[in-house]
Amino acid sequence: MSSPQQIDLDGILRVVRERGGPVRTLTAIAGAPGSGKSTLAEAVVAKLNEETPDSAAVLPMDGYHFDDLVLVPRGLRPRKGAPDTFDVAGFHHMLQRLKRNEEPEIAVPVFDRDLEIARAGARLIPRSVRRLIVEGNYLLLDRPGWSSLRGLFDTTIMIAVPEPILRQRLIARWQGYQLPPDEVTAKVETNDLPNGRLIMSASAPAEFVFSP
């Protein structure tokens, strides 16, 4: 396989446009926690919808977090955000359903970070959407369950951000929730950054790499 190509926002827009058409295409934007996946995905969708209204939408993978009612009994609550804290099978089925685009609209869950829960049916994706931008940590993870997702994507992009910058962003993120300093440190150093290292070391190569 050839090495991933560097790409910028204009390049992403060009590729997504070129691969668009009468059928729905799925573009994967993967990256570590704090890498800016949702920001990039929303920027791509906003630009596409400026050109053709209602033609693009975002699907965040975070809507498939297991609820704390599942994580706590399994002892996984401190690791929320790790690969085994997501319903990857449910996410896979939803991607297949969205790819087929056979329904007038499809309701998808969205993760509420303030409440730490996924809200079912929080976003509607209508049939008019031809370019679906999927963003999430493990979209390219080369592990059982996750590896089955790759074949559903028409374009794959990995965001590459140096770890010191990720650390700064993640600390600022958790401080924004008024958490005690020791809890912020625990979340960043024992969960978010280890997850980020796994993403960068154990993901299949993307077609493109985006470096903010």
Side-chain angles (χ1 to χ4, degrees):
M1 179 180 292
S2 58
S3 298
Q5 303 175 48
Q6 289 287 333
I7 198 168
D8 58 11
L9 176 57
D10 287 340
I12 293 172
L13 291 167
R14 183 173 60 254
V15 168
V16 173
R17 288 190 203 102
E18 289 173 352
R19 297 178 183 183
V23 297
R24 176 177 285 165
T25 59
L26 273 58
T27 298
I29 297 179
S35 61
K37 299 178 298 297
S38 59
T39 300
L40 178 59
E42 294 288 355
V44 171
V45 166
K47 289 285 189 181
L48 294 171
N49 282 335
E50 281 178 12
E51 300 165 5
T52 308
D54 303 319
S55 67
V58 175
L59 176 69
M61 187 198 82
D62 279 355
Y64 285 85
H65 271 291
F66 282 131
D67 192 85
D68 287 0
L69 290 173
V70 173
L71 298 177
V72 171
R74 295 183 177 185
L76 292 173
R77 181 59 181 83
R79 293 286 290 134
K80 193 169 187 174
D84 54 351
T85 66
F86 288 89
D87 176 17
V88 62
F91 183 55
H92 182 259
H93 287 304
M94 178 58 79
L95 289 176
Q96 290 179 314
R97 183 181 171 195
L98 287 162
K99 183 92 170 179
R100 291 193 299 269
N101 196 19
E102 295 172 344
E103 301 156 72
E105 61 184 15
I106 296 174
V108 299
V110 176
F111 190 68
D112 187 323
R113 192 171 291 278
D114 290 331
L115 298 177
E116 285 285 306
I117 60 171
R119 292 184 174 276
R123 180 173 295 170
L124 295 173
I125 298 179
R127 184 179 284 156
S128 63
V129 168
R130 290 292 181 266
R131 294 140 177 172
L132 186 65
I133 311 301
V134 186
E135 61 94 355
N137 295 341
Y138 306 114
L139 302 182
L140 303 179
L141 190 64
D142 197 15
R143 296 285 173 87
W146 295 100
S147 60
S148 65
L149 303 180
R150 292 200 304 276
L152 298 173
F153 300 126
D154 300 279
T155 304
T156 57
I157 301 162
M158 177 66 76
I159 302 181
V161 178
E163 187 169 302
I165 295 177
L166 291 177
R167 180 178 281 107
Q168 292 172 4
R169 291 179 179 178
L170 291 165
I171 289 171
R173 172 189 289 179
W174 291 116
Q175 286 176 337
Y177 291 95
Q178 309 301 315
L179 299 178
D182 57 341
E183 190 171 342
V184 170
T185 299
K187 284 183 175 294
V188 173
E189 300 296 338
T190 67
N191 195 33
D192 288 343
L193 286 178
N195 289 339
R197 294 179 194 124
L198 174 68
I199 291 160
M200 301 313 294
S201 65
S203 291
E207 185 180 5
F208 300 101
V209 172
F210 177 86
S211 300

